[in-house]
Structure formats: C-alpha cells, structure tokens
Amino acid sequence: MKIEKIKKAFADRFQQQPQVFSAPGRINLIGEHTDYNDGFVLPAAIDKSIVFAMRPNSKSLFRFYSMDYDEYLETAEISKNVGGKTWAIYLLGVLDQFQKKGIEIPGVDCVFGGDIPLGAGLSSSAAVECGFAFGLNELFEANISKFEIALMAQKAEHKYAGVMCGIMDQFAVMHGKQNQVIKLDCRSLDYTYFPFDMRDYRLLLVNTGVKHALAASEYNKRRSECEAGVNILQQYDDSVNALRDATIELLTNHKNEFSPTIYKRCVYVVEENIRVQQACDALVAGDFELFGKLMYRSHEGLKDKYEVSCPELDSLVEIARTVDGVLGSRMMGGGFGGCAINLVERNKTTSFRQSVIENYQTPEGEEPQIIEVSIEDGTGKLQ
Ligand code: GLA
C-alpha cells in the first residue's frame, strides 16, 4: 500500500517513473549503549520501514518530498543549513558523504515516507540515511558495499545531525535478515546471525509517547563519561582502549579514582556487555526465560547506573513485570523516551495489551501505541 502511494506521489510530482528502495527500522534485543564502547549488541531489522522512490535528474538539483511531513525541499547546495527542515538533514548528510568520497551525484529526485514511528527509538533516522544512500548507490552505480554504506550513514548522523551515535542502528538497518538477530562485535565489526525463534513468543513494543531528544546532549554526554572512565583505567592497564576491555574486577580495584557517576556508567557498560554474550548463549540453548531475565536486568542497569531511562519507560517495565506470560521487558535505544520492548508468550499478547492499556497513558493522556513486530530483511531494492 505505502509503496504504491509513494510511487504515485513521485510520478505526480516529477512526471517520471522512479526506482524504489526500502529501509527498515530496527529493534535491539539487548546491548544498549555498548556499541560506542566497542562492545556487543543484538539488534534486528523489523517490518516497519521507509520507502524511497528515486530517480536521477539532469537539473543539478536535489529535490526531496517527505510524505510524512508533507514538505518539499529543492536545493542545489549540500549543507546542513539548507531549508530549515529537520528531515532533510539526514538526506543532505548522506549526499555530503558521497561528495567526500569523490562520488559525484549530479542531481536526484526523491519521495519518501513510511510507517516507522518517529522519535520512538526505532532508528527512523538511520533508515532514512541508509535507504537514501542505498538508493544513490544503485542509481549512480557507485559500487559501495552495504557495510561501507552503514559507515557513511553513521558519519552523516555525526556530521549533520550532531549525534555521536555508534554503529548499531545503521548496521542493523543494512544487514538485517528475516527471523535472525545480529550479534555484532562493534570493535571488529564481525557479526553472527542467531535465529530468533518466534514460534512461541512475540515481540511487542510499547511507545511511551515521550519523544526522546537523543540529539539533546545526554547521549553525547554518556559517550564522554565512558571516555573519562577509559582514561582513568588506562593509567593502570594500558590494554584498556575502550570499556569493552575493562572488567568488573579492574573497576572495583580502582573505584576510589572515579567519581561516583563515572563509576556507575562504567559498571553498567561492562555488565551489559556480559549480558549480551549470556543472552546469545540463552538463545542457542532455547532458554527464553533466561533471555527475558537478562532483558529486565538490562533495564535496571539503564535506569539506575546509566540513567538514561525516564519515569514513563520505568512504569511500562513495571507493568510488564505484573503480567503473566511476559518474559522480559526493557527500554530500547538511546533512552529518555521512545519504546519499551517486551518478550511475550504468543498466547498472552492479548492480556498484555489489555494490562498496558489499563495501566498506562501517554503524557497526553492517550492510549499508548502497541506495536507487534516481526524480524525482517534489511535495506534493499523493491520490484
Ligand atoms: C542510539 C544510537 C546507537 C546506540 C543506541 C543505544 O540508538 O544511535 O548507536 O548507541 O542509541 O544503545
């Protein structure tokens, strides 16, 4: 449906037939704020996506239409100050990356839109960056690998959106695979797919309705707090290049050198990194009970030690704890809003939905959006 709508919007606006690409949102099962600490993450691409209708133009112009915002932007200039439209920053950031690589994009028309809820922690921005970059790569035969596209998209986010994000989102959006989660080593960028068996379980996201202002300082602040921790540890062990290399023992031995805040941050990251490995072992053993427990523990760490949760996310996780058939629940993504992810027994999803609706309202006093997701392939070209 959305594909036809976007193709039609393109044809109406530009009187041409486009090529069509799609980039999904992502979930993360466990491993939050570990990516920029060279650690492990366990994300997957989902069945919510952004669709791009694109075609080169011979007008030396970049012409974008966002279906979701119903806004149009036309420019010949690649700069982050163009037009004052937040959504355009991601597209221009990608063009800037192509330019930096010396790949000339003479002009392109693009209509895009989709069903990834915005500001909900599902990486709609990574989907915009990756989908557009993938499309450009195809249209202009630039021969860039999926992996390289993920890196370019991440750089676009750093340079144009000003968020010093890790690689998890862009990687998952590019490399997702149906019914598989990706265990990504964010240092070596080696990755392994693990089947996520959905026969007996379902993944449900509950949107707090609180828009996370990820770009707003806290995310970047956590990054520097982690770096400060590494600087301290390096004085005692020069093999520590990132928190991925630290152990609880090393931290405990030097606790007095740390401010209480930096110490908590570091302990969280080291523990969360261990949890990702344990979660993968649990998946292999088919032990979803344990997997769920690890999700709860992850949330506790994010709430108390890393302090990136918010009262709304905490209350969703508390509600989940009281519902029979919920194995695990945690905040997902950068934090300060967005969604909680819940692992629920297949035949308990209705009672879960009911409990959430009875016990939680968004800050606007509305029923929260509850989204059941399936795990799907990453970015690609559509027929
Ligand atoms: C955001 C960032 C990711 C990652 C998560 C937290 O989604 O874009 O790189 O750091 O937050 O795990």
Side-chain angles (χ1 to χ4, degrees):
M1 216 3 233
K2 73 182 173 202
I3 302 171
E4 289 315 313
K5 228 172 101 187
I6 284 163
K7 274 167 85 173
K8 182 169 182 310
F10 186 96
D12 290 349
R13 191 168 281 271
F14 300 115
Q15 275 75 53
Q16 301 266 16
Q17 288 307 316
Q19 294 196 43
V20 186
F21 310 95
S22 164
R26 68 101 188 87
I27 51 172
N28 185 24
L29 275 304
I30 196 160
E32 222 63 88
H33 289 274
T34 43
D35 60 352
Y36 54 83
N37 288 300
D38 277 4
F40 295 95
V41 290
L42 198 63
I46 56 171
D47 57 335
K48 304 279 171 272
S49 59
I50 297 182
V51 172
F52 298 78
M54 294 168 64
R55 191 184 169 101
N57 69 40
S58 48
K59 299 183 163 51
S60 301
L61 281 176
F62 306 112
R63 303 192 294 185
F64 308 126
Y65 175 63
S66 159
M67 295 276 290
D68 299 329
Y69 288 90
D70 187 19
E71 283 178 352
Y72 177 73
L73 177 73
E74 183 173 312
T75 176
E77 187 198 348
I78 301 172
S79 130
K80 58 179 153 192
N81 306 317
V82 166
K85 299 194 166 42
T86 34
W87 54 265
I89 277 180
Y90 304 104
L91 304 172
L92 292 161
V94 165
L95 285 169
D96 175 58
Q97 286 302 312
F98 274 77
Q99 206 171 42
K100 292 217 159 70
K101 266 193 172 311
I103 301 163
E104 206 208 334
I105 307 291
V108 73
D109 296 334
C110 171
V111 172
F112 72 104
D115 57 3
I116 308 178
L118 304 172
L122 300 180
S123 288
S124 53
S125 64
V128 171
E129 292 148 359
C130 291
F132 184 58
F134 185 90
L136 290 177
N137 186 42
E138 295 283 311
L139 294 180
F140 295 94
E141 296 174 357
N143 240 326
I144 308 171
S145 69
K146 277 192 158 189
F147 175 65
E148 194 60 33
I149 290 177
L151 292 177
M152 289 167 76
Q154 181 196 25
K155 284 200 196 110
E157 183 94 21
H158 288 186
K159 297 232 155 72
Y160 271 54
V163 182
M164 296 309 292
C165 63
I167 189 62
M168 168 170 78
D169 302 347
Q170 292 79 7
F171 195 93
V173 167
M174 289 308 298
H175 291 84
K177 214 180 208 175
Q178 196 175 41
N179 298 329
Q180 318 261 331
V181 292
I182 313 168
K183 181 187 181 197
L184 172 65
D185 177 333
C186 299
R187 169 169 281 165
S188 65
L189 298 175
D190 287 340
Y191 58 104
T192 319
Y193 291 106
F194 285 85
F196 198 85
D197 187 349
M198 300 280 269
R199 255 173 311 184
D200 298 328
Y201 304 100
R202 293 290 179 266
L203 290 167
L204 282 94
L205 309 178
V206 184
N207 194 344
T208 53
V210 179
K211 289 236 164 46
H212 64 167
L214 214 146
S217 62
E218 286 301 319
Y219 184 91
N220 293 348
K221 193 164 151 198
R222 291 300 174 283
R223 254 196 109 130
S224 24
E225 287 168 344
C226 292
E227 279 159 23
V230 171
N231 287 339
I232 297 171
L233 293 173
Q234 267 176 351
Q235 298 169 25
Y236 303 98
D237 182 342
D238 59 12
S239 71
V240 177
N241 291 311
L243 286 181
R244 187 262 183 64
D245 306 311
T247 58
I248 294 293
E249 197 192 354
L250 183 67
L251 282 168
T252 322
N253 289 344
H254 301 287
K255 187 172 178 182
N256 293 338
E257 313 293 319
F258 288 78
S259 76
T261 302
I262 306 282
Y263 187 73
K264 275 197 284 192
R265 306 290 191 252
C266 295
V267 171
Y268 162 77
V269 172
V270 173
E271 287 176 347
E272 179 77 349
N273 216 24
I274 296 170
R275 278 191 286 268
V276 181
Q277 325 252 23
Q278 291 171 334
C280 290
D281 294 343
L283 271 190
V284 172
D287 190 346
F288 280 81
E289 294 279 339
L290 175 59
F291 194 94
K293 284 190 185 129
L294 292 163
M295 290 172 73
Y296 278 126
R297 279 182 222 149
S298 165
H299 184 78
E300 281 156 31
L302 288 158
K303 169 171 163 276
D304 299 327
K305 295 183 179 143
Y306 216 62
E307 295 179 291
V308 290
S309 186
C310 62
E312 293 83 358
L313 283 165
D314 297 340
S315 93
L316 284 176
V317 172
E318 282 318 305
I319 294 165
R321 280 184 198 280
T322 65
V323 184
D324 181 41
V326 178
L327 285 85
S329 177
R330 54 182 287 274
M331 58 147 275
M332 190 179 71
F336 304 104
C339 289
I341 179 169
N342 301 275
L343 177 63
V344 185
E345 280 173 26
R346 191 189 56 165
N347 53 7
K348 296 286 169 54
T349 59
T350 310
S351 51
F352 172 73
R353 281 176 187 273
Q354 270 164 4
S355 303
V356 172
I357 289 168
E358 275 162 26
N359 294 294
Y360 182 84
Q361 283 193 335
T362 69
E364 276 76 46
E366 284 162 10
E367 234 179 55
Q369 193 184 15
I370 304 175
I371 313 160
E372 185 173 325
V373 290
S374 60
I375 297 180
E376 301 296 339
D377 286 339
T379 303
K381 183 170 177 183
L382 299 175
Q383 289 312 320

